[in-house]
Amino acid sequence: MNKAFKFRLYPTEEQKKMILMTLGHNRFLWNRMLQDKQEHYAFYQTHLYNRPAQYKDKYPWLKDIDSLSLANTQLALEKAFKAFYAKKSEIPKFHSKKQDYGYTTNLVNNNIEIVDGYLKLPKLGKIKMNKHREIPSHMTLKHVTVSKTPTDKYFVSLNFAYERDTIDIEVKETLGLDFSMTHFYVDDRGSKIEYPQTIQMDFLKLKRLQRSISRRTKSSSNYKKKQKEIAMLYERIKNKRDDFLHKLSNTIAKGYDSVTVETLDLIKIAQSNKHFAKQIQRFGWQRFITFLKYKLENQGKRFIHLSQWYPSSKTCSSCGEVHGELKMKDRVYQCPSCNYSIDRDINAAINIKRQGLIILGFA
Ligand SMILES: [Zn+2]
């Protein structure tokens, strides 16, 4: 199993220059190799396997930076093409200076070390690092990714491998979650988690800023100022959101032995309800699922993802009949067969939980 720890770095001016150069050279290599692959494909209709070494001769300054980072950029590009050929993602795009992709380097012969308050990296030496949490001693460092945010903050993600030693625990407390339009989720016990208001407000503010920047000319100092403001606000939203998602998933993973969720068909939702689709994306539903899954599985607990076609909202949780009449706007489920009436989302959550129990072999 793998686990990553992300810490903030405080490089000196000299180190900042080297990091920026490494990011720049890797961006150059990515774009150069991508362009050559595209041209080769246009000509021969086959995939070109190019390597960093071929470019080091032509562009000797590529040798000035950590060579492992270039090898990782090549691997990432090949991986992106593999996913594209397997129809799992879009065609790899050129990297621009505006976005930060980070650079990755591997642990080889003690070239990377964590020594009190510092991280030693190839070509950079010791960089001040805020290691705000302990790393368990049974974990082995594999690779690190250095990145810079648009607001000029530097981070490192340290990636570790470890043996999984948890044993599956007995399932006693189970929970079903329904993601709803009005709430982040509703569970089968009737608790409803609101979309956080402060993040909702920040998104409105972001929208206003984006609208105002679109009216300004690109070269003006006001434009740059607004651009910075947007980057800072966006970073704040992301931090607040991660905080919200971590707290929520921690509480659930602590209190329950198995959790069942439905799978959302995001494409279908986007077609039928743009507002709902936006809410899901903004509040990081996918991220929440990832957090919840690894937090449960790390403790030997169960995480069950139902298939997309399971009719959780249309099934009556009292008699089990399925009714096709329920509309998106109907907030109450009223069963025509048994006359049972219940909150729409709680009804769905109960069905989701039950379906999870069936999968576990308990019902
Ligand atoms: Zn019924």
Side-chain angles (χ1 to χ4, degrees):
M1 311 236 331
N2 299 298
K3 192 170 167 62
F5 293 84
K6 195 172 180 180
F7 299 129
R8 182 142 178 211
L9 293 177
Y10 297 91
T12 61
E13 288 309 312
E14 205 66 15
Q15 289 169 328
K16 276 183 196 170
K17 264 187 217 156
M18 183 44 115
I19 293 174
L20 289 181
M21 186 160 99
T22 309
L23 289 170
H25 286 11
N26 274 287
R27 189 168 55 238
F28 172 85
L29 184 75
W30 171 282
N31 289 341
R32 217 44 248 253
M33 290 181 98
L34 176 56
Q35 193 184 341
D36 288 348
K37 279 179 197 300
Q38 285 182 349
E39 282 168 10
H40 180 92
Y41 190 85
F43 228 81
Y44 304 104
Q45 265 83 58
T46 55
H47 182 75
L48 171 72
Y49 288 96
N50 40 2
R51 314 199 138 266
Q54 298 162 256
Y55 296 85
K56 281 183 193 163
D57 291 337
K58 205 166 163 193
Y59 310 102
W61 39 265
L62 284 175
K63 293 178 195 156
D64 295 343
I65 61 158
D66 180 356
S67 64
L68 283 168
S69 69
L70 298 171
N72 278 300
T73 291
Q74 181 217 348
L75 285 178
L77 183 58
E78 291 299 345
K79 207 171 143 190
F81 266 99
K82 213 171 154 189
F84 166 64
Y85 292 137
K87 295 192 166 56
K88 280 184 189 151
S89 67
E90 285 180 51
I91 190 152
K93 289 190 177 72
F94 288 99
H95 282 178
S96 88
K97 203 178 172 178
K98 276 191 206 134
Q99 278 157 296
D100 169 48
Y101 302 94
Y103 76 86
T104 298
T105 187
N106 309 69
L107 177 75
V108 188
N109 301 329
N110 297 325
N111 61 342
I112 304 170
E113 273 179 300
I114 302 164
V115 266
D116 23 66
Y118 290 89
L119 176 71
K120 194 188 114 193
L121 283 176
K123 297 270 179 190
L124 287 161
K126 284 159 78 181
I127 309 179
K128 207 166 164 241
M129 175 172 76
N130 177 18
K131 188 176 146 218
H132 58 80
R133 50 186 293 205
E134 275 313 307
I135 297 159
S137 57
H138 66 284
M139 294 187 170
T140 325
L141 184 64
K142 291 289 164 190
H143 59 265
V144 310
T145 299
V146 177
S147 58
K148 177 190 153 288
T149 69
T151 50
D152 291 328
K153 290 184 188 125
Y154 293 79
F155 289 93
V156 65
S157 178
L158 301 156
N159 291 272
F160 292 85
Y162 65 99
E163 293 292 324
R164 192 185 151 172
D165 54 1
T166 46
I167 16 162
D168 288 350
I169 67 151
E170 194 191 341
V171 175
K172 284 184 193 143
E173 294 294 323
T174 69
L175 192 70
L177 303 181
D178 177 65
F179 297 93
S180 94
M181 205 144 56
T182 50
H183 292 86
F184 184 69
Y185 72 67
V186 172
D187 72 25
D188 64 278
R189 306 183 180 218
S191 59
K192 299 180 170 194
I193 302 298
E194 304 274 348
Y195 286 108
Q197 265 304 313
T198 84
I199 301 179
Q200 198 85 274
M201 301 291 275
D202 283 344
F203 272 120
L204 283 178
K205 215 166 144 192
L206 187 68
K207 204 169 155 188
R208 273 200 302 272
L209 276 172
Q210 279 161 341
R211 210 177 292 146
S212 93
I213 200 172
S214 67
R215 287 193 301 259
R216 290 170 205 277
T217 39
K218 272 202 173 171
S219 51
S220 71
S221 65
N222 237 323
Y223 184 90
K224 290 203 180 91
K225 213 178 107 196
K226 287 275 171 202
Q227 212 175 24
K228 190 111 193 165
E229 237 175 279
I230 287 175
M232 273 164 72
L233 181 58
Y234 194 63
E235 197 174 291
R236 203 162 65 223
I237 292 174
K238 277 207 300 199
N239 291 338
K240 265 193 210 170
R241 190 186 65 181
D242 273 3
D243 193 50
F244 165 69
L245 298 178
H246 272 304
K247 276 188 187 140
L248 208 53
S249 52
N250 278 343
T251 312
I252 298 175
K254 222 184 249 171
Y256 296 91
D257 309 317
S258 106
V259 178
T260 307
V261 303
E262 59 186 333
T263 303
L264 299 181
D265 185 346
L266 297 179
I267 295 169
K268 214 165 137 194
I269 292 172
Q271 284 162 353
S272 62
N273 192 326
K274 277 214 171 71
H275 173 68
F276 186 27
K278 201 174 239 173
Q279 285 292 81
I280 291 169
Q281 219 184 17
R282 279 178 167 177
F283 287 90
W285 170 77
Q286 193 62 53
R287 225 169 144 67
F288 177 67
I289 295 291
T290 314
F291 288 173
L292 195 55
K293 187 173 191 294
Y294 84 68
K295 284 174 188 177
L296 285 162
E297 288 178 350
N298 272 350
Q299 306 173 72
K301 295 180 171 185
R302 303 290 298 267
F303 177 80
I304 302 149
H305 220 155
L306 296 185
S307 69
Q308 258 161 31
W309 49 264
Y310 177 68
S312 63
S313 344
K314 291 178 178 166
T315 306
C316 170
S317 60
S318 177
C319 72
E321 287 280 325
V322 179
H323 300 286
E325 304 305 311
L326 196 72
K327 302 247 172 21
M328 267 290 207
K329 64 176 196 327
D330 298 335
R331 299 313 308 162
V332 173
Y333 184 94
Q334 176 79 44
C335 178
S337 301
C338 72
N339 242 341
Y340 184 61
S341 161
I342 181 176
D343 175 283
R344 170 210 179 99
D345 300 324
I346 300 174
N347 180 62
I350 294 172
N351 289 325
I352 288 165
K353 170 179 164 156
R354 271 200 202 131
Q355 206 56 26
L357 288 172
I358 292 171
I359 291 169
L360 287 173
F362 292 135

